[in-house]
Amino acid sequence: MSEERILFTAKKGKWYVSKKLKIDENTRNVEIARILAGINETISLKIKEFLPFDMQKLEEIADEIYVAKKGKVKEEEVSEALVKLKSPATTKKMNAITESKEGKEILKRILTEIVLERLGFKLHVEAKMIEKFIEKSQ
């Protein structure tokens, strides 16, 4: 019977990451969730770095939709930002980054993530959040 484990290793240039977890009968599912969340965080950050698009221009488009600020976000601001995000004008602005239909689809998803995060919507469960949960539940 082969050993159960999670092993994620990546190396590209000076970037190196390794996340490992040996799974046995004492390993709780929440510990598996924690390491998977850490891998997800790493992947989410690096995907943008390796795509062949000008992410600064995408950030500028995001600035035109909504600029994050301190304090509570009003419902009107959320709805306005979502209308702008889905607008054909926003899609047209992506032509400055790529003319590829597939490229625009990728950029739309990244842009959606940027705008939602600025509006205060968390899209991913962070590893630290799970760690705190584990600590409090023991």
Side-chain angles (χ1 to χ4, degrees), residues 6 8 25 27 40 43 86 97 103 106 109:
I6 295 173
F8 173 78
E25 65 278 352
T27 306
N40 187 43
I43 290 169
K86 288 290 283 180
I97 303 171
I106 293 167
R109 290 172 192 221

Side-chain angles (χ1 to χ4, degrees), residues 5 26 30 32 34-35 38 41 49 55 88 106 108 113 116 118 132 137:
R5 66 185 173 272
N26 298 318
V30 71
I32 295 169
R34 180 186 52 78
I35 195 152
E41 288 172 22
E49 286 183 31
M55 291 300 166
I106 293 167
K108 280 183 194 178
E113 185 177 312
L116 289 176
R118 288 179 179 188
K132 286 181 184 179
S137 64

Side-chain angles (χ1 to χ4, degrees), residues 6 15-16 29 36 41 46 49 56 58 62 64 71-72 75 89 97 99 101 114 122-123 131-132:
I6 295 173
W15 175 59
Y16 174 80
N29 284 341
L36 292 174
E41 288 172 22
K46 286 298 178 180
E49 286 183 31
Q56 183 59 43
L58 192 64
E64 293 175 24
K72 189 174 180 179
E75 286 181 31
I97 303 171
E99 301 246 345
K101 178 183 174 185
I114 293 167
K122 299 295 181 191
L123 303 175
E131 284 175 27
K132 286 181 184 179

Side-chain angles (χ1 to χ4, degrees), residues 3-44:
E3 174 183 73
E4 291 185 329
R5 66 185 173 272
I6 295 173
L7 176 59
F8 173 78
T9 306
K11 182 177 182 341
K12 170 74 170 105
K14 293 182 180 183
W15 175 59
Y16 174 80
V17 64
S18 179
K19 296 182 186 278
K20 304 173 191 178
L21 177 68
K22 183 178 175 185
I23 301 170
D24 61 26
E25 65 278 352
N26 298 318
T27 306
R28 298 181 301 157
N29 284 341
V30 71
E31 294 170 18
I32 295 169
R34 180 186 52 78
I35 195 152
L36 292 174
I39 293 168
N40 187 43
E41 288 172 22
T42 300
I43 290 169
S44 293

Side-chain angles (χ1 to χ4, degrees), residues 116-131:
L116 289 176
E117 296 245 341
R118 288 179 179 188
L119 290 167
F121 294 96
K122 299 295 181 191
L123 303 175
H124 304 283
V125 177
E126 293 103 6
K128 285 185 179 186
M129 183 181 281
I130 296 174
E131 284 175 27

